[in-house]
Amino acid sequence: MNAGSPSSPAFIVPGGEKCGTTSLYRYLRAHPGCYVPTKDTYLFNRDAVRRLPGFRGRIYTEAEYRALFGRVSGERAPVSGEVASSYLYTHRESAPTIRDLVGDVRILILLRNPVDRAYSNYMHYVRDMNELRTFEDAVEQELSGGADAIPWNRHYIAMGYYADPVRTYLEHFSRVRVELFEDMIQRFDPWIAGVYEWLGLDSAFRPPDVAALNRSGVPVNRWIQKVFFKPSPWKLKLKDLIIRAGLPEDTVSGCIERLRSRNLRPVRMSEAMRRRLCRVYREDVGVLEHLTGRDLSHWLEADQRKATE
């Protein structure tokens, strides 16, 4: 498969988890010059995905992947790509597999303050009623060596160690761009213009909806959350049927997101835990600063107010 051919992507967004990949996916799909057929095919971390209990990836073969991207129509195919939320954490499997199958594509990595990312990841599972531990207990179990007993997609702390994954992608690809979730939120217009331009898209275009997606929080009404929003196979099938009936995927997802957000209550991490995690990530953030050439000292602010300004 040749990078940028009609049957392969020109770019991959490897994540990370809870770093804004769902929002970026929507912004790219909205661009008339960009083709992003789906989110998270899992082709490039099939081995890791198979180890998740009860989890099935969407795409298993190179032929399926070719067919997915081969649906681009017209004499000149638009810029195409895949947005994933897990290829960063599974970098040891994903980076070389991407390079082998689709070549030296552009790699756009989204990162977020690892302290905030860990808590958001935890709250994501609380939102979906799939996490019963307190955040403190979850952190303690992982830091005390109990991560092997937990599925990798709930490695809340480990997923925030970005230095090794970024280094791996830099070693395998010649065009790697690292962007920050905080820049997406705080200065959206110049941020998205820069992303579009780097991908070879018209940078003057602005997506119609810049609302944050895939929010986390504690359900206000657990019955409503369980019946209407807790993920399940039949709900995914119902969503797919609605989309197949002709309603655009982005419209369906946006409606679900708005309704679900009304039943969520944000809860802050304790200041003591924030200070602890700042210490946990200090060394890794220092290495990441060296790799990216960016000042990331604001990530290690123990004061939540300063860290999120």
Side-chain angles (χ1 to χ4, degrees), residues 5-73:
S5 74
S7 60
S8 68
F11 69 87
I12 300 283
V13 180
E17 292 267 2
K18 304 304 295 181
C19 292
T21 54
T22 301
S23 293
L24 180 58
Y25 167 70
R26 290 281 296 277
Y27 304 147
L28 293 172
R29 280 177 59 89
H31 198 293
C34 191
Y35 178 70
V36 186
T38 188
K39 183 175 181 287
D40 296 311
T41 68
Y42 302 104
L43 178 68
F44 304 116
N45 56 5
R46 289 172 295 182
D47 292 341
V49 167
R50 287 193 181 106
R51 291 196 295 271
L52 290 179
F55 192 91
R56 288 190 175 186
R58 294 182 182 175
I59 299 293
Y60 282 102
T61 69
E62 183 179 343
E64 289 178 296
Y65 201 72
R66 283 180 181 273
L68 194 65
F69 284 93
R71 294 172 191 163
V72 183
S73 61

Side-chain angles (χ1 to χ4, degrees), residues 83-283:
V83 178
S85 57
S86 59
Y87 293 162
L88 194 68
Y89 189 54
T90 60
H91 60 101
R92 291 185 181 88
E93 176 189 355
S94 300
T97 307
I98 293 170
R99 183 60 192 257
D100 289 345
L101 290 183
V102 301
D104 190 17
V105 295
R106 293 179 185 268
I107 298 293
L108 176 60
I109 296 173
L110 270 175
L111 300 180
R112 179 182 187 177
N113 181 326
V115 178
D116 294 329
R117 194 224 67 82
Y119 191 61
S120 179
N121 199 174
Y122 165 80
M123 292 301 295
H124 176 95
Y125 285 104
V126 170
R127 179 199 73 184
D128 291 345
M129 304 174 71
N130 289 322
E131 177 60 87
L132 300 179
R133 298 172 298 173
T134 66
F135 185 56
E136 288 74 14
D137 287 345
V139 169
E140 189 59 41
Q141 181 178 359
E142 190 172 342
L143 292 180
S144 63
D148 289 344
I150 312 166
W152 63 258
N153 58 336
R154 298 195 201 183
H155 290 180
Y156 305 131
I157 304 305
M159 281 191 178
Y161 292 125
Y162 303 135
D164 279 348
V166 169
R167 183 186 293 110
T168 299
Y169 279 98
L170 287 170
E171 290 171 351
H172 283 82
F173 299 91
S174 63
R175 295 167 296 176
V176 177
R177 183 181 180 97
V178 176
E179 291 288 346
L180 303 184
F181 172 85
E182 293 83 3
D183 289 339
M184 176 197 291
I185 299 301
Q186 296 171 8
R187 52 185 202 92
F188 180 80
D189 282 350
W191 181 85
I192 195 63
V195 168
Y196 283 156
E197 182 178 15
W198 189 73
L199 293 175
L201 300 165
D202 178 9
S203 62
F205 176 80
R206 288 296 176 274
D209 181 7
V210 297
L213 300 172
N214 211 16
R215 292 180 182 274
S216 299
V218 175
V220 176
N221 186 308
R222 292 178 62 84
W223 183 86
I224 290 176
Q225 189 72 13
K226 181 178 181 179
V227 172
F228 294 102
F229 303 117
K230 181 179 171 63
S232 68
W234 73 264
K235 289 173 191 171
L236 291 175
K237 289 180 181 178
L238 177 61
K239 179 181 177 181
D240 186 56
L241 287 173
I242 294 172
I243 293 170
R244 289 174 182 270
L247 203 58
E249 179 184 351
D250 293 345
T251 301
V252 176
S253 297
C255 181
I256 294 172
E257 183 66 30
R258 284 188 290 272
L259 292 173
R260 181 173 58 191
S261 294
R262 294 179 182 178
N263 191 45
L264 295 176
R265 173 174 54 88
V267 177
R268 276 192 168 188
M269 180 192 331
S270 72
E271 295 293 342
M273 179 57 70
R274 174 171 287 276
R275 288 192 296 271
R276 182 183 183 186
L277 294 186
C278 284
R279 294 192 297 270
V280 166
Y281 286 120
R282 188 170 303 280
E283 181 178 352

Side-chain angles (χ1 to χ4, degrees), residues 271 274-275 278 298-307:
E271 295 293 342
R274 174 171 287 276
R275 288 192 296 271
C278 284
H298 59 285
W299 279 358
L300 301 176
E301 292 280 0
D303 188 320
Q304 287 193 75
R305 291 166 298 179
K306 290 182 180 179

